[in-house]
Amino acid sequence: MTKDITPTIEKALIEGKDLLASKQDVLLKIGQAQAFNFAAKLLTVSELKLLHEIKESKLFKGLTFSDSMGKTLTVSTWDECCTHIIGSSRQHIDEKLNNLQQFGEDFFESAQKMKLGYRDLRALRQLPEEEQTLVIESQAVETGDKEAVKELIEELSAKHKKEKDTLKQQLHASEAQLKASRDQSNKTAIELQQTKEQLHIKKFSADKWKGEAKQFFETLAKTQNQIRDGFNQMLVLSDQLETVELDDKTYDTAKSAFYADSKILLSQLAHVWNEIYRTYGHQDDAKPSGEWLAELGFEGTEVIE
C-alpha cells in the first residue's frame, strides 16, 4: 500500500531538489574555473567574473573535498574553496578581483597583456583617484608600453609620498607652535599667581609707602608686559596660520585649537576684570601708575601705559 506524501514532506523534497540544483550549478562553474591556467596567472575578465559570481553566491559552502589523508571535509569559507576546490590561493584570486573592480575591464585586460606585476598594480591602487586616472588613460597604456607605464606609476608614487611627507611636517610644525602657545599661556598664569602670592605676603609699610607703591607699580608693569607679550605672540601665531601654506585638514585643526584656546584665555582675563571691578567698583579718580609715579617724585621713571 502506497503511503501518501504530506505537504511538509513534499515541501522538503522540493527544497532539497532546489539545493541540489544550486550545488550542481556551482560545481559546474567551479569545474569551468578549474580548467583555467592558474599557473600562468593571466585570468581573463570573463574568468574573473565567473569566480566573482562563485564567491558572492556562497553556494560553495557545503561542498566536500578530501585532505591529504583521504579524509572527507566540508568547505565553509571562501579561502577553503579557493585552496581545495578551485586550486589557487585566495590572495591570488582576490588580488585579481580587486584590480578588476578598481581599474575596470579595459585597463585590466591591458595590464594583463603588458604583464604588469602585482607590485605595480598595488602601487597604482594606493594613488589618489585622479592620479590613477592619469595612468589608466595615458598614452603608454594605449600603446602597451609596459616600461613607460611602470615609470609613470613610480613617478606618481614618489610625488604622492613627497606630498604626504610635506603635509606631515607642516602638521608637526603647527602642533609645535600651538604647544609653545599653550606653554607660554601656562607660564604667564603661573607667574601671575606667584605675583599674587607675593603681594599677599608682602604688605605695605606705613613708613615706606612711597617705595612700596613704586615697587608695586613695577611689579604691575612687569605683569602687564608679560600679558602684552602673550597677546603679541597670539597675533604672530594667527598671522602664521593665515600665511603659511597648509592643507585643509591641517588648517582646520590648527584654526580650531587656536580659536578654542584663545577663547579660554580671554574668558579668564574677563573673569579677572570682573573680580577687580567687583572688589573696587567704579573709580572716577583712577589714574595710571605713570601719573602716580610722577606725583610721588620719581623723576626719570618710564611711564607705564
Side-chain angles (χ1 to χ4, degrees):
M1 182 177 179
T2 304
K3 186 176 180 180
D4 293 337
I5 297 177
T6 65
T8 301
I9 295 175
E10 183 178 8
K11 180 180 179 182
L13 289 173
I14 293 173
E15 291 176 349
K17 289 180 180 179
D18 291 341
L19 179 60
L20 180 60
S22 64
K23 294 299 181 186
Q24 289 175 336
D25 180 62
V26 77
L27 282 171
L28 177 61
K29 292 175 181 177
I30 289 175
Q32 296 171 2
Q34 287 173 325
F36 300 157
N37 182 14
F38 285 106
K41 297 184 179 180
L42 292 175
L43 296 171
T44 66
V45 170
S46 299
E47 292 164 351
L48 282 171
K49 285 183 176 180
L50 182 59
L51 292 178
H52 177 73
E53 185 178 347
I54 293 172
K55 179 180 180 180
E56 294 301 313
S57 69
K58 294 184 172 56
L59 289 175
F60 56 80
K61 292 185 177 181
L63 298 178
T64 59
F65 65 94
S66 297
D67 63 9
S68 59
M69 304 298 294
K71 183 179 179 180
T72 300
L73 301 175
T74 301
V75 172
S76 60
T77 66
W78 173 239
D79 192 298
E80 291 175 345
C81 179
C82 292
T83 303
H84 300 292
I85 303 298
I86 299 176
S88 182
S89 70
R90 176 188 60 78
Q91 291 83 355
H92 170 58
I93 294 177
D94 283 350
E95 181 89 11
K96 298 291 185 180
L97 292 175
N98 288 338
N99 289 337
L100 176 61
Q101 181 178 10
Q102 183 156 354
F103 301 138
E105 297 182 9
D106 292 339
F107 177 77
F108 180 85
E109 289 183 339
S110 297
Q112 293 282 65
K113 291 177 182 178
M114 288 185 289
K115 296 183 180 181
L116 286 176
Y118 75 93
R119 290 187 179 87
D120 299 319
L121 296 178
R122 182 179 298 172
L124 180 58
R125 287 203 306 269
Q126 293 173 348
L127 292 175
E129 185 175 349
E130 61 273 13
E131 295 184 353
Q132 290 182 22
T133 303
L134 287 177
V135 175
I136 293 172
E137 298 180 354
S138 67
Q139 184 70 26
V141 172
E142 292 183 9
T143 59
D145 190 338
K146 176 182 177 180
E147 294 305 317
V149 173
K150 292 180 66 173
E151 289 178 5
L152 180 58
I153 294 174
E154 291 173 0
E155 178 184 339
L156 292 174
S157 296
K159 173 176 172 288
H160 184 55
K161 182 179 183 302
K162 183 177 180 181
E163 290 174 349
K164 287 177 64 177
D165 292 342
T166 300
L167 290 177
K168 285 182 180 179
Q169 292 173 1
Q170 291 175 345
L171 180 58
H172 290 161
S174 297
E175 290 175 346
Q177 289 178 346
L178 290 172
K179 182 179 183 301
S181 176
R182 292 192 184 101
D183 291 344
Q184 180 62 37
S185 177
N186 292 336
K187 180 181 177 182
T188 301
I190 293 172
E191 291 175 346
L192 287 172
Q193 180 62 28
Q194 291 174 346
T195 300
K196 181 179 179 181
E197 292 173 355
Q198 291 172 0
L199 290 175
H200 178 73
I201 294 172
K202 192 172 184 179
K203 304 296 183 181
F204 287 114
S205 170
D207 296 332
K208 298 183 287 185
W209 71 273
K210 289 185 179 181
E212 296 285 358
K214 180 176 181 294
Q215 186 176 3
F216 176 84
F217 294 155
E218 290 172 348
T219 302
L220 178 60
K222 179 181 177 181
T223 301
Q224 291 174 338
N225 288 334
Q226 289 172 344
I227 295 175
R228 290 190 183 94
D229 289 341
F231 285 158
N232 290 333
Q233 181 63 27
M234 288 172 62
L235 293 175
V236 170
L237 287 175
S238 176
D239 183 66
Q240 291 177 350
L241 189 60
E242 297 302 323
T243 56
V244 175
E245 185 175 351
L246 301 173
D247 65 290
D248 292 341
K249 185 175 181 180
T250 303
Y251 175 79
D252 291 339
T253 301
K255 179 181 67 175
S256 174
F258 181 80
Y259 181 92
D261 288 356
S262 300
K263 182 178 180 181
I264 292 172
L265 175 62
L266 294 176
S267 297
Q268 292 172 342
L269 289 175
H271 176 71
V272 171
W273 168 248
N274 288 335
E275 286 297 311
I276 293 173
Y277 190 87
R278 184 183 63 82
T279 302
Y280 302 109
H282 182 69
Q283 298 188 35
D284 292 330
D285 59 346
K287 293 183 290 187
S289 54
E291 294 183 21
W292 279 111
L293 286 169
E295 289 186 15
L296 293 176
F298 292 106
E299 297 180 356
T301 303
E302 181 180 357
V303 175
I304 303 171
E305 297 179 353

